[in-house]
Amino acid sequence: MAGKNIASFDLGFLRELPGYGTLVRAEPAMLDPAAFYLNWKKDSRLPTMSICKARAKFDDNTVAHEAVADALDVIQLLRPFYELPVYQQVGARSAEEAQ
């Protein structure tokens, strides 16, 4: 799962959903986009969603605090990193390896 503060906040709400544990499961590893926007020279903690959006040069840095809008922001924050060549090499297999 990926999300801003997902492990410490959102997961508690997800566990209350009907079907949690069977239809919906969380793996121990969680991905917070703040790790990608951390500036070790300026930050003493992981940046907020608003700071991440500013560093990603979003037109609007406000945070909706609504599940769908926040999830879409997380997708937009993560997507540029997955377009980098190093990430595109991960999992790429040659035709020989696929057989």
Side-chain angles (χ1 to χ4, degrees):
M1 292 187 170
K4 186 69 187 91
N5 301 318
I6 186 135
S8 63
F9 183 77
D10 299 303
L11 193 55
F13 293 104
L14 293 173
R15 286 186 175 128
E16 300 298 319
L17 291 174
Y20 183 83
T22 54
L23 298 173
V24 178
R25 284 181 294 226
E27 297 294 327
M30 300 286 172
L31 180 60
D32 187 328
F36 291 93
Y37 293 93
L38 179 64
N39 180 330
W40 290 102
K41 293 181 181 181
K42 292 183 180 181
D43 299 328
S44 60
R45 58 181 294 251
L46 287 174
T48 64
M49 176 85 90
S50 181
I51 292 171
C52 290
K53 290 174 73 172
R55 290 179 181 170
K57 298 184 178 22
F58 278 32
D59 292 334
D60 182 4
N61 299 340
T62 59
V63 180
H65 296 290
E66 295 177 3
V68 174
D70 291 350
L72 292 172
D73 281 345
V74 168
I75 291 167
Q76 286 185 287
L77 287 168
L78 292 173
R79 189 168 282 155
F81 295 95
Y82 294 119
E83 292 172 357
L84 295 173
V86 68
Y87 283 104
Q88 294 190 10
Q89 292 174 12
V90 174
R93 299 188 305 174
S94 67
E96 228 174 69
E97 291 175 321
Q99 295 175 359

